[in-house]
Amino acid sequence: MTTKATTVSKATDLLTLDELGGDGIRSLFETAAAMKANPAEFRGVLTGKSVIMLFEKPSLRTRVSFEVGVARLGGHAMFYDHGSVKIGERESVKDYAKNLERWVDCIVARVFKHTILDELAYYASKPVVNALSDMHHPCQALADCFTLTEHVGTTDGVKLAYVGDGNNVAHSLILAGAMLGAQLTVVTPPGFEPQFDILRKAMAHAQKSGAKITVTNDIEAVEGHDAVYTDVWVSMGQASQQAFRLAAFQGYQVDAELMARASRGRSKPALFMHCLPANRNIEVTDEVIDSPFSVVYDQAENRMHVQMALLAKLLGDTN
Ligand code: CP
Ligand code: NVA
């Protein structure tokens, strides 16, 4: 990971996933698995460390998994609600970052604009962790790929279909999959494909890892996959586009028929994945999300384990 010029050697950020790379992610997964199996061994890793959590948008999983994770490692997490006053509105992002770095050891932030994270990370000498932006959701993708290693055994060569909006969650999943050698099929309605700069980066990672990335509008491309992933069709901050989006995504719902198509030719039924929160019976039917092959709550639990491993790497003495 990149070292900041302005601070001690351990201060790094996690804004996309580029900071980690495939080897960094695999090493993080080893720590996460050890923490999940033997939590008692890691109780003092963040003793004396404080983490501030700045949230411009609502959250259940990210907030709770970070707060509980920090507590389990012996540290202290503070939640700061930026729902009404966005970061950079009351004072400059520079002043904000320069104050925070005097008190806390790490800044976890959920923002509307990814550029705010870039600015925070530029000015703060302490690590900044992306807790979701309009462009990326790296902690989610880490948990998702860790969940795949638990259920499929590996991410190398895993056949993963992402169906729906080419959004922040899709971007991070594509980047993580590309770094870890996955075979990704991304199926979106026309006009909702992932951004080209993300796809270009993913292609570069894929050349090294052997990953394969296919982007299509053809729903039949889900055939023969280990897992099918979807996310909401209307993300936080897109409420004004709701009617237009719901119309555009017709035909892309993950239902039993789609899962049967995905499972065709496989020895086991395809897993169903979702970052949550879900809009039940919109992007996924109750029947699918409640099926025995749905791993959505494992994904949610694993948010905590991978984030604990990440914080130990960024702040602890285990890196
Ligand atoms: N998946 C996820 O980030 O959930 P929250 O929005 O509840 O944090
Ligand atoms: N794409 C969704 C993910 C929520 C975890 C959003 O940005 O609202």
Side-chain angles (χ1 to χ4, degrees):
M1 299 174 81
T2 12
T3 301
K4 284 192 172 184
T6 50
T7 189
V8 293
S9 62
K10 276 189 223 154
T12 53
D13 303 307
L14 182 75
L15 303 192
T16 58
L17 277 172
D18 276 335
E19 301 92 340
L20 288 171
D23 287 342
I25 296 176
R26 277 185 285 270
S27 139
L28 205 69
F29 287 178
E30 277 178 29
T31 311
M35 287 179 161
K36 189 170 179 176
N38 299 303
E41 283 180 22
F42 298 89
R43 267 184 203 139
V45 169
L46 293 187
T47 300
K49 307 280 184 183
S50 295
V51 176
I52 184 107
M53 300 172 41
L54 315 169
F55 277 55
E56 292 185 342
K57 305 181 188 186
S59 172
L60 172 70
R61 279 145 292 270
T62 308
R63 176 180 178 173
V64 177
S65 60
F66 265 107
E67 285 199 25
V68 175
V70 170
R72 285 191 182 197
L73 295 174
H76 170 231
M78 275 158 292
F79 181 76
Y80 192 120
D81 185 357
H82 269 286
S84 49
V85 181
K86 305 284 167 286
I87 298 167
E89 280 181 2
R90 184 161 176 260
E91 58 189 311
S92 71
V93 176
K94 177 180 179 179
D95 288 343
Y96 192 74
K98 290 287 173 203
N99 276 262
L100 288 176
E101 72 180 19
R102 300 292 180 108
W103 304 313
V104 303
D105 301 286
C106 180
I107 299 169
V108 173
R110 169 168 285 198
V111 299
F112 280 93
K113 288 193 278 180
H114 189 83
T115 50
I116 293 286
L117 292 177
D118 288 326
E119 212 177 333
L120 268 177
Y122 177 77
Y123 286 118
S125 59
K126 301 293 168 60
V128 176
V129 175
N130 181 356
L132 180 145
S133 68
D134 54 341
M135 285 294 294
H136 297 272
H137 199 0
C139 296
Q140 182 66 53
L142 290 174
D144 299 336
C145 290
F146 184 73
T147 305
L148 280 169
T149 65
E150 290 183 328
H151 284 274
V152 182
T154 178
T155 49
D156 199 14
V158 70
K159 293 191 80 179
L160 173 61
Y162 177 92
V163 179
D165 192 12
N167 60 14
N168 45 6
V169 167
H171 287 167
S172 291
L173 191 67
I174 291 167
L175 288 170
M179 289 176 199
L180 295 172
Q183 295 197 27
L184 293 160
T185 307
V186 181
V187 188
T188 74
F192 295 91
E193 294 84 1
Q195 293 193 9
F196 282 114
D197 57 334
I198 301 288
L199 291 174
R200 278 185 51 242
K201 278 191 188 139
M203 298 304 281
H205 289 301
Q207 284 202 323
K208 282 189 238 152
S209 71
K212 192 169 157 240
I213 303 160
T214 306
V215 181
T216 176
N217 305 129
D218 180 6
I219 198 70
E220 296 193 3
V222 300
E223 181 145 343
H225 282 78
D226 295 304
V228 176
Y229 196 122
T230 194
D231 184 17
V232 291
W233 295 342
V234 184
S235 282
M236 290 181 274
Q238 295 177 332
S240 62
Q241 301 172 27
Q242 178 151 342
F244 153 72
R245 282 179 162 268
L246 291 185
F249 281 84
Q250 289 314 304
Y252 291 84
Q253 185 187 62
V254 178
D255 57 13
E257 190 187 338
L258 187 148
M259 291 303 291
R261 187 191 288 276
S263 305
R264 216 171 278 162
R266 313 297 294 171
S267 55
K268 287 192 281 191
L271 302 171
F272 172 71
M273 304 181 78
H274 194 306
C275 57
L276 303 178
N279 281 317
R280 283 170 169 261
N281 301 310
I282 304 292
E283 74 272 7
V284 56
T285 59
D286 279 340
E287 187 182 2
V288 169
I289 198 170
D290 293 330
S291 77
F293 307 105
S294 170
V295 294
V296 297
Y297 307 126
D298 291 344
Q299 293 171 258
E301 178 188 337
N302 285 332
R303 289 292 304 275
M304 183 176 72
H305 302 299
V306 296
Q307 288 159 193
M308 286 168 68
L310 176 70
L311 292 174
K313 180 179 175 59
L314 296 178
L315 308 178
D317 297 321
T318 60
N319 52 342

